[in-house]
Amino acid sequence: MNTPNVEAVKLDELNCWRIRHGQAEVLVAQQGAHILSYQIDGQPPIIWLNDKAVFKTGKSIRAGVPVCWPWFGKFERNPQSVQAMYTGEQPAPAHGLVRAMDWELGGIESEADGVKVEFKLPYPEGGLPGWPHQVDLTLTLHLSEQLSFSLTSHNRGSDTVSLSQALHTYFAVSDVRNVHVDGVNGLNYIETLDDWKTNTQQGDLHFAGETDRIYLDAPPQLSIVDAAWERRIVLTATGSRTAVIWNPWIDRAAALTDMDNDGWQRMLCIETANVMDDVVTLAPSASHTMGVSIDSKPL
């Protein structure tokens, strides 16, 4: 059994952990329990660490795997059952409430085939700001020959809670214009850039412009095929029936202060999600786990 190597590091204002097992390395920030990067020795990165990401206390990070919870995206686009959970007087921020909060390291354990790391969200008295519900949140990471991570919500309150969520993963690619996603052929998707119309995917997904789609009833497995890097990144999801695929392209990236103007070429987001009619409803004492396993395979 390999002994995991765990090193505490700091990126500007943020406390982080660099975790190695065998030839694999993952970097995680305490703020947001945010996986920042994942790479295997001698290979290109698998999870994208944006060169211009900002590592400041209280600021969400545009890189890696942001945790979007207890709602995803623009609040007003969420189902009414999710919106009803929020009682705050301030406008609800996009992508929820936990991306910029410090999580607690629950523990690091060696396992037969890797290492397990657990993060827990400390629960403020009275719940999150504007969200007074008693739901415990845990992010569990397994690093072995592949990387798996999952988000578990446990309702320990007396009321039923509805939430949407996503593991907003930025994948590193050689050039998004020359990769494609397979596993989506025939799926219905919501085209958010065209008045949220529903369309049907014909063939694999190739990229020739800004993309922001919600794929409905997605299969458990999708792949990013990257011929230039001679690899296929295989994503296997659990507890999720929706996948959000996003790339900002030229104009949107130019408007982002925390991304290089050409940064869009080097990344592709495929987000494991529970959104739209796939939202999570938790009865008292109920739990739900959504996760994804990421495996890089040669073409």
Side-chain angles (χ1 to χ4, degrees), residues 37-49:
S37 65
Y38 168 50
Q39 187 163 6
I40 297 170
D41 292 345
Q43 299 183 21
I46 297 171
I47 289 179
W48 186 63
L49 179 56

Side-chain angles (χ1 to χ4, degrees), residues 65-108:
V65 190
V67 175
C68 305
W69 188 96
W71 60 82
F72 169 77
K74 292 182 179 179
F75 179 71
E76 61 273 14
R77 283 291 184 180
N78 280 266
Q80 189 56 43
S81 61
V82 175
Q83 294 188 43
M85 298 290 100
Y86 183 66
T87 60
E89 296 180 358
Q90 300 298 319
H95 290 321
L97 299 169
V98 304
R99 290 185 298 160
M101 295 181 66
D102 272 353
W103 294 46
E104 294 177 348
L105 181 62
I108 300 175

Side-chain angles (χ1 to χ4, degrees), residues 93-211:
H95 290 321
L97 299 169
V98 304
R99 290 185 298 160
M101 295 181 66
D102 272 353
W103 294 46
E104 294 177 348
L105 181 62
I108 300 175
E109 300 176 19
S110 293
E111 298 183 323
D113 63 344
V115 58
K116 172 184 174 183
V117 186
E118 190 172 83
F119 298 90
K120 294 182 178 293
L121 184 69
Y123 214 84
E125 188 67 30
L128 299 173
W131 204 81
H133 309 290
Q134 306 297 306
V135 181
D136 293 331
L137 192 60
T138 304
L139 181 82
T140 304
L141 178 155
H142 293 266
L143 178 63
S144 57
E145 292 184 354
Q146 55 187 233
L147 175 66
S148 302
F149 44 93
S150 60
L151 193 64
T152 299
S153 305
H154 172 67
N155 184 5
R156 58 181 175 85
S158 56
D159 298 321
T160 297
V161 176
S162 293
L163 58 92
S164 64
Q165 57 183 348
L167 295 165
H168 192 311
T169 311
Y170 289 74
F171 289 96
V173 296
S174 60
D175 187 324
V176 72
R177 294 167 294 187
N178 298 321
V179 306
H180 68 269
V181 177
D182 68 17
V184 294
N185 182 38
L187 297 182
N188 291 332
Y189 66 89
I190 297 172
E191 180 57 87
T192 69
L193 302 177
D194 186 17
D195 200 28
W196 289 65
K197 294 177 182 176
T198 300
N199 297 321
T200 301
Q201 177 70 39
Q202 303 295 326
D204 295 338
L205 176 60
H206 296 258
F207 300 90
E210 183 179 353
T211 302

Side-chain angles (χ1 to χ4, degrees), residues 270-288:
I270 300 185
E271 307 162 38
T272 303
N274 294 124
V275 298
M276 309 309 290
D277 65 354
D278 187 28
V279 297
V280 174
T281 300
L282 290 175
S285 300
S287 295
H288 178 268

